Amino acid sequence: MLENVDSLVGGPWIYVAVAMSVLLDVFLPLLPSGVLVITAATAAAADSARDAVTHAGAPHILVLVLCAATASVLGDMVAYHLAWRGGERLDRAIARSRRLTVAQERLGDALSRGGGSLVVLARFAPAGRSVVTLGAGAAHRRVREFLPWSIVAGIAWAVYSVALGYLGGQWLGTTWLSTGVSMLALVGAGGGAAFVMRRPRGAVGG
C-alpha cells in the first residue's frame, strides 16, 4: 500500500496539481483539493518513515504547505478582483441568493470592526470560501481589509490539511485508512465551520 500511495503522488508534478486544484476550487468547490493535499502529506510521512534519521519527508511538508497556502491566497485574490469588476450582473446574482447576501453583510460587518474570523472559518466550510470571497469583491471591500485574513485563512487551512495527512500517515501507517481518517477530520472541521457561520450575526467574533 505504501508503494501505491507513493506512485500516486510521486514526482514534482504533485505540487502543480495541488496548486492548480487549490487555486481553482474557489470557483469549483467540488474540486478535490483537500484530498490531494492530504494524500501528498501521507506520502511525505512515508518518506520520513523510510528515513527516520534524515527526515527526508520534512522538506516536502514545508513545500506542500507553502504551495497550498500560496495557491489559496492567489485563488482568493483572482475571485475577489473578478467579483469586484462583476458589475450589475453579479450584483443581481448576489441579490437573488440569500446565502451570498447574508455572507456579504456579515463579512462587511466583521471587516469594518477590524476582524475577519469569518474569512478564516469560510476557508474550511464547504463552498464557504467561494461565498465569502465573491461577497467581499462584489461589496468592494478594500484589499487591505480582506487580504490579510485571506493569508491567515490560507495558511491555517494548508497547515491543518497537511498536518492531518502527515500525522495520519505517521500514526496509522501510509494506507488508504489513514487518508480516509484524515479526510473525515477535514470534513468534520468543515462541518464545524459551517455551523458557526450559520449562527446569527454577532455570534461570530470579529
Side-chain angles (χ1 to χ4, degrees):
M1 180 62 71
L2 184 149
E3 288 79 8
N4 290 338
V5 173
D6 279 352
S7 64
L8 181 65
V9 298
W13 70 268
I14 187 60
Y15 299 113
V16 177
V18 165
M20 292 304 298
S21 179
V22 173
L23 191 152
L24 294 175
D25 76 2
V26 67
F27 303 102
L28 301 169
L30 295 180
L31 283 177
S33 57
V35 175
L36 281 175
V37 172
I38 285 176
T39 304
T42 302
D47 287 343
S48 180
R50 281 198 299 265
D51 194 348
V53 176
T54 61
H55 299 287
H60 297 84
I61 289 296
L62 296 178
V63 173
L64 187 58
V65 169
L66 180 61
C67 177
T70 301
S72 179
V73 176
L74 288 177
D76 283 357
M77 296 314 297
V78 170
Y80 168 87
H81 284 294
L82 288 176
W84 182 290
R85 300 174 181 177
E88 295 182 359
R89 179 178 297 181
L90 180 60
D91 290 340
R92 289 195 297 269
I94 290 177
R96 289 195 298 268
S97 170
R98 181 177 179 277
R99 187 179 183 187
L100 282 171
T101 301
V102 171
Q104 188 181 77
E105 293 174 352
R106 293 182 62 190
L107 179 62
D109 290 346
L111 293 179
S112 65
R113 293 196 303 269
S117 59
L118 188 63
V119 179
V120 181
L121 284 171
R123 187 61 188 85
F124 290 83
R129 176 190 180 198
S130 303
V131 171
V132 167
T133 301
L134 293 174
H140 290 184
R141 307 306 309 182
R142 289 175 292 183
V143 172
R144 66 172 178 267
E145 291 179 329
F146 178 73
L147 179 58
W149 290 104
S150 173
I151 294 172
V152 172
I155 293 174
W157 181 84
V159 169
Y160 181 73
S161 300
V162 170
L164 285 178
Y166 188 81
L167 295 177
Q170 290 283 328
W171 293 340
L172 299 176
T174 51
T175 66
W176 295 117
L177 173 62
S178 65
T179 303
V181 170
S182 299
M183 279 304 305
L184 285 176
L186 185 63
V187 170
F195 173 78
V196 174
M197 289 179 65
R198 286 196 296 267
R199 294 167 64 186
R201 189 184 305 177
V204 180

